[in-house]
């Protein structure tokens, strides 16, 4: 039997030869790998990649493999080299229906693979370096897109796992052609050189937004907007809330990449730039992913700085957002939100978005804004829901310029219309706006917004002080309930229902005027500053038409107003009666007040024509009766004013007055025919005796008062709207 020593020698020889053989195999393998022409493997790699991706894949240049010592490894692991693969001129094809042959091209792709994890079926790639990547994204009008890959289904889960730690590239380009959204963009992406903190980017964007706002609303408006924003931030801090964004569990990442874009959106020119975090940082749900953009679409500018939480699942947005543009209505084709036509505007606010399966919700909270010469602030929430999105919130203006409301109904000047891109021009001889309503936008979104104008800046002749409105849009029907103005110490409240779901638009309006003070109704008329009394009125109208002018031309209903128990300057009444002597007396020696028994106006509207059913003004000194009509179809006037004095008036040229012409250019004067008859009679009688010539100028007394009680009773009957 062999001894233990001989067995030991045998085992030793076997071990030596085995190790030698393994070393030889490794050496041969290393030499083979080092000397092997890996380009011979390209057809096999191209075929396997094409099958896996479902698209033609090709390495058109060299395929090289280099071995290098792993960085940062120690001990025995440091002696196991890592292969580094580099492939040149790679292409990934498009589906056959696209307009371009390639989905993506790369000048080169290079990456390392850790060797030892391969034994555990783990592919660990520390970094992938892309050289000049170019990606072409395309979507047709029928919904087909080239960025959705049809991958082969596997019956069993793969034993292999992949971990990628970093992705880097020097320059990249993305081309987008989306026929569904009508977007064409060419986007360039590059590294920033060094990471930028979100605070630094925010300061840069604040300065840029201030400069852009000055170009839109003027330097003074931009300074006022900055003051509003600072005031809102101070108020938020005092209330214990952060003025920018809510507290985050982890600090946001730094910006790593910059991008710029040019193209068109719905045939409108688009250009902009921005910054984002590292591409692979999108996988880290614990740290907010940074976003920044400054984009101009036509005459609208949108800028934002903030973060996206859990990018892989689009959990939430937290952004500081600025809007600037020629009119708020221009946001509709960009954001799909229906807003009114306005003068140039600029806003600054905080946008929070909850991206959820049931519908995304975005809240633009605590924003400050300038619209024309008016300030705005408030909160708006947009909910993406079916069948239409929903916009709701509250808006307040502490100082509202009345002229800034004109574009809402198309009542601004033609120069203003041109600035906000409206081609319809207002005829110079018409008062009612002819610009049509955008009823198609009413059917695109539901709205519930309250607006408060606490103080109005206006023409001194306008006795309006404040405004409150509740605007609701549902199923294409726009309602104002109420639309309330503070007027002359009283209120002018109305309810409007504009049904834009039909063509033409159907409108119903109810208006109530209460406690309007006579003195305040004419703040610039000296003769009315001693007037007392109040005006109360009601109106109900229906109409058809897609513009204010068309609605006026088809109006049906009734309008009623009543003045009771007041006083008015006698001078005003004497001027209306053309009582020459008394006017001269009042001018020289002062004014006196006369009592108003009643004043009543009762118009009936029929197909745009307002007929004066009752229009009378009765005081101690006289009665004025008006008859005729106002035709809103062509805005013409045909009214006759009959002044009737009470008591004896010497040197009275009392004669009927007329009001003709149009609302834009009224023609008011004396009925020359009646006045000529009086003059002729005076001359004829003057031939007999000089005293007799005064007889035609002596106004007979009309001491029978207008039946005020009957008028009041009639006026208390509510007006009726047309069918």
């Amino acid at each position: 039997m062999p001894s233990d020593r001989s067995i030991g020698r045998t085992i030793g020889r076997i071990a030596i030869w085995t190790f030698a053989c393994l070393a030889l195999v490794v050496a041969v393998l290393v030499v083979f790998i080092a000397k092997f022409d890996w380009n011979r493997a390209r057809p096999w790699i191209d075929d396997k990649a094409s099958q896996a991706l479902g698209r033609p894949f090709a390495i058109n240049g060299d395929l090289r493999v280099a071995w290098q010592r792993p960085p940062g490894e120690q001990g025995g692991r440091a002696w196991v080299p890592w292969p580094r693969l580099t492939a040149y001129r790679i292409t990934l094809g498009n589906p056959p229906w696209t307009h371009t042959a390639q989905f993506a091209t790369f000048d080169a792709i290079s990456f390392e693979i850790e060797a030892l994890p391969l034994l555990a079926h783990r592919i660990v790639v520390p970094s992938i370096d892309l050289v000049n990547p170019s990606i072409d994204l395309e979507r047709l009008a029928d919904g087909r897109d080239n960025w959705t890959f049809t991958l082969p289904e596997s019956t069993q889960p793969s034993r292999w796992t992949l971990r990628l730690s970093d992705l880097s590239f020097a320059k990249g380009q993305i081309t987008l052609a989306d026929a569904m959204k009508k977007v064409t963009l060419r986007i360039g992406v590059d590294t920033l050189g060094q990471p930028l903190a979100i605070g630094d980017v925010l300061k840069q964007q604040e300065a840029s937004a201030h400069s852009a706002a000055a170009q839109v609303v003027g330097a003074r408006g931009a300074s006022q907007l900055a003051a509003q924003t600072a005031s809102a931030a101070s108020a938020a801090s005092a209330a214990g809330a952060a003025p920018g964004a809510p507290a985050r569990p982890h600090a946001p990442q730094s910006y790593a990449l910059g991008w710029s874009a040019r193209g068109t959106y719905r045939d409108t020119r688009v250009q902009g730039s921005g910054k984002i975090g590292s591409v692979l940082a999108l996988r880290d749900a614990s740290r907010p992913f940074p976003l920044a953009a400054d984009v101009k679409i036509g005459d609208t500018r949108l800028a934002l700085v903030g973060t996206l939480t859990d990018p892989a699942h689009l959990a939430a947005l937290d952004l500081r957002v600025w809007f600037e543009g020629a009119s708020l209505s221009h946001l509709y084709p960009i954001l799909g939100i229906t807003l009114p036509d306005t003068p140039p505007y600029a806003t600054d606010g905080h946008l929070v978005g909850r991206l959820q399966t049931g519908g995304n919700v975005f809240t633009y909270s605590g924003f400050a804004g300038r619209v024309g010469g008016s300030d705005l602030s408030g909160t708006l929430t947009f909910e993406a829901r079916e069948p239409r999105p929903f916009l709701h919130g509250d808006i307040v203006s502490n100082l509202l310029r009345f002229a800034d409301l004109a574009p809402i109904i198309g009542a601004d000047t033609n120069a203003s219309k041109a600035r906000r891109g409206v081609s319809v021009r207002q005829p110079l001889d018409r008062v009612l706006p002819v610009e049509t309503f955008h009823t198609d936008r009413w059917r695109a979104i539901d709205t519930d917004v309250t607006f408060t104008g606490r103080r109005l800046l206006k023409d001194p002749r306008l006795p309006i002080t404040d405004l409150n409105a509740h605007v609701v849009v549902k199923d294409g029907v726009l309602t104002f309930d109420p639309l309330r103005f503070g007027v002359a110490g009283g209120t002018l409240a109305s309810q409007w229902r504009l049904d834009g779901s039909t063509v033409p638009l159907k409108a119903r309006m109810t208006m109530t005027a209460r406690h309007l003070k006579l003195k305040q109704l004419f703040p610039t008329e000296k003769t009315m500053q001693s007037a007392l009394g109040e005006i109360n009125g009601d109106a109900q109208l229906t109409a058809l038409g897609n513009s204010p002018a068309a609605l006026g031309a088809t109006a049906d209903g009734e309008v009623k107003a009543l003045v009771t128990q007041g006083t008015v300057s006698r001078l005003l009444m004497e001027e209306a009666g053309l009582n020459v002597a008394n006017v001269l007396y009042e001018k020289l020696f002062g004014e006196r007040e006369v009592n108003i028994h009643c004043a009543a106006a009762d118009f009936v509207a029929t197909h745009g024509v307002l007929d004066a059913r009752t229009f009378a003004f009765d005081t101690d000194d006289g009665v004025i009766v008006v008859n005729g009509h106002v035709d809103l179809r062509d805005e013409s006037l045909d009214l006759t004013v009959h002044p009737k004095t009470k008591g004896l008036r010497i040197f009275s040229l009392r004669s009927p007055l007329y009001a003709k012409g149009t609302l834009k250019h009224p023609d008011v004067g004396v009925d020359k025919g009646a006045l000529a008859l009086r003059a002729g009679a005076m001359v004829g009688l003057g031939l007999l005796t000089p005293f007799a010539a005064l007889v035609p100028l002596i106004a007979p007394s009309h001491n029978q008062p207008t039946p005020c009680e009957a008028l009041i009773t009639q006026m208390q009957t509510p007006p009726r709207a047309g069918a």
Side-chain angles (χ1 to χ4, degrees), residues 99-401:
H99 294 85
T100 57
Q102 306 300 337
F103 171 77
T105 62
F106 306 86
D107 286 357
I109 297 178
S110 180
F111 59 93
E112 297 173 339
I113 299 178
E114 295 186 15
L116 293 178
L118 294 174
L119 300 176
H121 296 90
R122 292 189 298 115
I123 303 174
V124 179
V125 180
S127 175
I128 292 182
D129 299 322
L130 307 178
V131 180
N132 293 333
S134 178
I135 301 175
D136 188 281
L137 304 176
E138 185 175 350
R139 180 163 61 177
L140 302 183
D142 59 12
R144 287 181 293 172
D145 65 70
N146 69 339
W147 57 79
T148 301
F149 286 76
T150 304
L151 302 178
E153 296 183 0
S154 176
T155 57
Q156 296 180 353
S158 175
R159 297 174 56 192
W160 292 86
T161 60
L162 172 65
R163 193 185 76 183
L164 176 62
S165 300
D166 194 11
L167 177 67
S168 64
F169 58 89
K171 290 184 178 180
Q173 179 177 290
I174 301 173
T175 302
L176 172 64
D178 190 343
M180 285 188 67
K181 299 295 185 180
K182 298 182 180 179
V183 178
T184 60
L185 286 177
R186 190 177 184 88
I187 305 171
V189 185
D190 201 352
T191 56
L192 293 176
Q194 62 181 5
L196 294 178
I198 190 170
D200 296 334
V201 175
L202 181 61
K203 291 179 181 178
Q204 295 175 5
Q205 189 58 59
E206 284 177 338
S208 177
H210 180 82
S211 176
Q215 297 177 11
V216 176
V217 296
R220 184 169 182 267
S223 297
Q224 291 172 329
L225 176 58
Q228 288 177 240
T229 304
S231 177
S234 298
S237 298
R248 303 184 181 100
H250 298 279
Q253 304 168 34
S254 298
Y255 293 95
L257 303 174
W259 58 267
S260 62
R262 289 182 178 273
T264 60
Y265 176 69
R266 297 187 177 181
D267 300 325
T268 302
R269 185 180 177 184
V270 176
Q271 61 180 4
S273 60
K275 302 173 183 66
I276 58 175
S278 171
V279 174
L280 289 180
L282 289 167
R283 302 178 310 172
D284 189 352
S286 64
R287 298 183 65 189
F289 182 76
L291 303 171
D294 192 335
V295 181
K296 188 173 183 181
I297 305 176
D299 57 19
T300 299
R301 182 174 180 174
L302 165 65
L304 58 89
V305 174
T307 60
L308 172 63
T309 302
D310 191 5
H313 301 92
L314 298 178
L317 282 172
D318 191 346
L319 306 171
R320 175 89 171 270
V321 177
W322 296 264
F323 291 104
E324 294 128 14
S327 173
L328 282 169
S329 64
H330 294 180
L331 288 173
Y332 174 76
I334 301 172
L335 303 178
I337 298 176
T338 302
L339 295 171
D341 288 298
T342 66
Y345 71 93
T347 71
D348 181 353
H350 179 208
L351 179 70
V352 175
R354 300 194 307 273
L355 311 178
Q356 51 198 21
T357 305
N360 301 331
V361 179
F362 301 92
T363 300
Y364 195 37
S365 61
F367 69 84
R370 304 294 302 181
V371 178
S374 307
D375 70 278
L376 291 181
S377 62
T379 296
L380 290 173
T381 298
F382 176 85
E383 300 181 18
R385 66 183 192 184
E386 296 296 336
R388 286 173 301 278
F390 180 42
L391 177 70
H392 56 93
D394 301 281
I395 302 176
V396 175
S397 175
N398 293 311
L399 199 61
L400 175 64
R401 194 176 68 168

Side-chain angles (χ1 to χ4, degrees), residues 15 24 35 70 72 97 183 251 386 435 467 586 594 599 671 711-712:
L24 180 62
K35 299 296 183 179
W97 51 263
V183 178
E386 296 296 336
E435 185 180 335
L467 164 65
E586 297 289 352
V594 295
D671 188 333
L711 279 177
I712 293 173

Side-chain angles (χ1 to χ4, degrees), residues 460-594:
R461 294 171 295 180
L462 293 175
I464 304 174
T465 56
D466 57 82
L467 164 65
N468 289 276
H470 182 201
V471 185
V472 177
V473 181
K474 186 173 179 59
D475 300 332
V477 179
L478 169 62
T479 60
F480 293 88
D481 188 11
L483 176 60
R484 182 185 297 110
F485 290 90
V487 179
T491 59
L492 183 62
S494 61
Q495 293 82 37
W496 290 76
R497 187 181 190 274
L498 307 177
D499 188 351
S501 63
T502 63
V503 179
L505 178 149
K506 296 178 181 178
R508 177 179 292 272
M509 184 271 287
T510 300
M511 182 177 293
T512 303
R514 292 293 181 267
H515 308 298
L516 276 59
K517 307 299 187 297
L518 281 175
K519 177 180 179 179
Q520 298 182 36
L521 271 176
F522 306 97
T524 61
E525 296 294 334
K526 185 177 179 181
T527 56
M528 292 298 293
Q529 295 313 297
S530 59
L532 301 176
E534 295 181 347
I535 294 180
N536 296 280
D538 295 285
Q540 284 201 14
L541 296 169
T542 59
L544 297 172
N546 290 335
S547 70
L551 292 176
T554 60
D556 290 310
E558 295 179 348
V559 179
K560 297 184 178 186
L562 182 66
V563 180
T564 58
Q565 299 303 316
T567 62
V568 69
S569 165
R570 180 171 182 166
L571 176 60
L572 188 66
M573 294 302 299
E574 299 295 354
E575 287 177 339
L578 295 180
N579 297 298
V580 180
N582 284 321
V583 170
L584 181 60
Y585 178 85
E586 297 289 352
K587 290 288 187 182
L588 292 174
F589 301 107
E591 302 178 13
R592 293 172 291 170
E593 283 72 35
V594 295

